[in-house]
Amino acid sequence: MSRIKRWINMHGKEFNPDGSLKYQAREQMLSRGMSNAAIDDYARRLKIKYDKWKHLDETDPKPWPVYTAYDFFTAEEKQQFNPDGSVRREYVESALRSGISQGWLEEMERRKKLEVDNYNAVSARYAEQGINFGSEQMQLILAASTTYVQRRKEMEVDMRNCEPADSLPFDKDTPY
């Protein structure tokens, strides 16, 4: 999301969407004993920051990768469900042949559609605040997987150094 939207979220109680100080905010500052000069200085500094962020939004917009709920489905879920959470026709046919009931398939679909709808609602709510929910979630997943790989490599070194088994992050017989 844009830097300006984030700026407005941070300062929206005191400032207008154009970066100018709200009259009510000025009055409140005066009532707390701030001088007009101090208020003007504060408003000027934040307006400069607003203008800088606005210029950056226009000349160098931040990338906003769009992730859908489907991007977070497991490989198995991608075989079972469509991006909207409905069960794939091929999976229904296969599941019915293997003895899974129609009722359970409908329940699976209902749950997955709720999951997709929830993701979309949260993503939209975060976007209004200038936060890319999908991107944050993807970064968490990538960080977790990187951490696991790093810990496995560190464990291999610890094992070569004959570290005690109870100090290792995983059971030494854990498959890769």
Side-chain angles (χ1 to χ4, degrees), residues 22-144:
K22 290 181 178 178
Y23 176 77
Q24 301 88 337
R26 176 178 289 281
E27 291 298 312
Q28 187 177 31
M29 290 176 197
L30 285 170
S31 72
R32 288 186 295 191
M34 287 181 73
S35 69
N36 274 320
I39 295 169
D40 290 343
D41 182 56
Y42 173 70
R44 182 186 55 75
R45 283 183 287 119
L46 271 108
K47 177 68 169 148
I48 289 169
K49 191 174 192 178
Y50 171 90
D51 290 340
K52 177 182 175 186
W53 284 20
K54 183 176 181 184
H55 176 73
L56 284 171
D57 278 348
E58 293 167 353
T59 59
D60 185 24
K62 283 185 147 187
W64 188 273
V66 176
Y67 292 98
T68 65
Y70 189 75
D71 294 317
F72 298 97
F73 285 11
T74 64
E76 183 179 353
E77 289 172 328
K78 287 181 179 181
Q79 290 177 351
Q80 297 171 342
F81 299 100
N82 293 310
D84 68 350
S86 60
V87 180
R88 290 186 180 277
R89 185 177 44 81
E90 307 83 34
Y91 180 72
V92 169
E93 293 167 1
S94 169
L96 290 173
R97 279 193 307 272
S98 68
I100 295 175
S101 72
Q102 181 68 35
W104 177 245
L105 290 171
E106 290 169 2
E107 179 63 16
M108 284 175 56
E109 181 173 270
R110 184 189 71 79
R111 290 180 183 185
K112 188 53 77 175
K113 283 185 172 186
L114 281 173
E115 187 180 308
V116 169
D117 291 346
N118 183 53
Y119 174 89
N120 292 338
V122 170
S123 186
R125 198 167 51 248
Y126 273 56
E128 290 173 3
Q129 300 170 23
I131 301 167
N132 188 333
F133 177 73
S135 182
E136 285 192 354
Q137 292 301 108
M138 191 60 73
Q139 292 303 318
L140 288 172
I141 290 169
L142 293 174

Side-chain angles (χ1 to χ4, degrees), residues 8-15 22 24-25:
I8 291 170
N9 284 331
M10 291 188 309
H11 304 289
K13 290 181 181 176
E14 296 177 325
F15 290 84
K22 290 181 178 178
Q24 301 88 337

